[in-house]
């Protein structure tokens, strides 16, 4: 993905995920946020083209904590300014943000002291954030190609697993991922009340190159 692809990526994101919080902040904020995937070495962003035109995209991260630090360090002030400007003209969304998300975002930024959470699973989990195939390119294997590339990069990076969320129930893509070896890990509900299903794909460690022994 290059900066020239951002108009296509943002338009498809808004079309396929209109209820996401970042999408509700508008195209300007979403463009700035998507750009962070192009500048972080722990992020991956791909576009598939057909006949010279983009028909699908995927964005994800190979090391979520490291990518979050990059976003805060390199893009934080710009994203914050964009978010404030978007919320200023969307008072209902601003109130919703204050009630449901502000505390959670602050907890991510401020280190927690004196508390012990559950032990993390061994190994790094790569996170597939969004994958979209334009409607005119469905059933051509575009989605499988994008996901396969991300899984290959995550395996190459030494990640222990890849993870994603999709809408739970018939409107989600759970059956598709299950057919490709992804394992259902549970469900969560967003602050907006949408039910999401989490899927993991265990990754085989990359074998070192060299002569057979």
């Amino acid at each position: 993905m290059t900066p020239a692809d951002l108009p296509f990526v943002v338009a498809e994101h808004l079309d396929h995920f209109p209820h996401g919080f970042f999408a509700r902040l508008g195209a300007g904020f979403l463009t700035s946020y998507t750009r962070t995937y192009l500048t972080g070495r722990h992020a991956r962003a791909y576009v598939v083209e057909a006949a010279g035109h983009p028909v699908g995209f995927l964005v994800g991260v190979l090391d979520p904590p490291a990518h979050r630090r990059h976003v805060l360090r390199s893009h934080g002030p710009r994203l914050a300014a964009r978010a404030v400007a978007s919320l200023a003209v969307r008072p209902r969304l601003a109130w919703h943000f204050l009630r449901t998300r502000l505390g959670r975002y602050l907890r991510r930024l401020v280190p927690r002291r004196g508390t012990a959470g559950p032990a993390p699973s061994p190994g790094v989990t790569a996170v597939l954030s969004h994958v979209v195939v334009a409607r005119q390119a469905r059933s051509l294997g575009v989605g499988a190609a994008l996901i396969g590339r991300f899984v290959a990069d995550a395996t190459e990076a030494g990640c222990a697993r890849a993870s994603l969320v999709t809408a739970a129930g018939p409107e989600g893509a759970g059956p598709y991922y299950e057919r490709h070896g992804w394992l259902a890990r549970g469900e969560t509900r967003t602050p907006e009340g949408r039910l999401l299903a989490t899927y993991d794909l265990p990754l085989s460690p990359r074998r070192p190159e060299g002569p057979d022994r």
Side-chain angles (χ1 to χ4, degrees), residues 55-67:
V55 294
F57 77 87
L58 182 150
V59 292
V61 292
L62 305 183
D63 187 334
H67 181 66

Side-chain angles (χ1 to χ4, degrees), residues 15 72 81 118 127 170 197:
D15 183 37
L72 292 174
V127 175

Side-chain angles (χ1 to χ4, degrees), residues 9 68 106 174 180:
V9 170
R68 188 179 303 120
L106 290 176
H180 288 80

Side-chain angles (χ1 to χ4, degrees), residues 65-107:
H67 181 66
R68 188 179 303 120
R69 290 192 295 270
H70 162 73
V71 171
L72 292 174
R73 181 176 60 251
S74 301
H75 301 272
R78 185 180 299 106
L79 286 175
R82 282 277 194 181
V84 169
S86 296
L87 292 173
V89 297
R90 298 171 173 85
R92 293 182 62 183
L93 185 60
W95 176 240
H96 176 75
F97 169 76
L98 292 173
R99 288 189 300 108
T100 64
R101 279 184 162 79
L102 179 59
R104 179 156 55 93
Y105 287 175
L106 290 176
R107 287 193 294 273

Side-chain angles (χ1 to χ4, degrees), residues 88-172:
V89 297
R90 298 171 173 85
R92 293 182 62 183
L93 185 60
W95 176 240
H96 176 75
F97 169 76
L98 292 173
R99 288 189 300 108
T100 64
R101 279 184 162 79
L102 179 59
R104 179 156 55 93
Y105 287 175
L106 290 176
R107 287 193 294 273
R108 288 184 180 179
L109 297 176
V110 179
R112 299 167 68 181
R113 299 180 179 178
T115 59
S121 300
V124 175
T125 299
V127 175
L128 193 167
S129 301
H130 294 93
V131 58
V132 168
V133 177
R135 288 179 171 81
Q136 70 271 20
R138 298 284 172 83
S139 302
L140 298 179
V142 173
L146 287 165
I147 295 168
R149 172 67 182 274
F150 181 73
V151 168
D153 280 1
T155 302
E156 177 78 15
C159 298
R161 68 196 66 81
S163 180
L164 61 83
V165 296
T166 184
E171 64 182 83

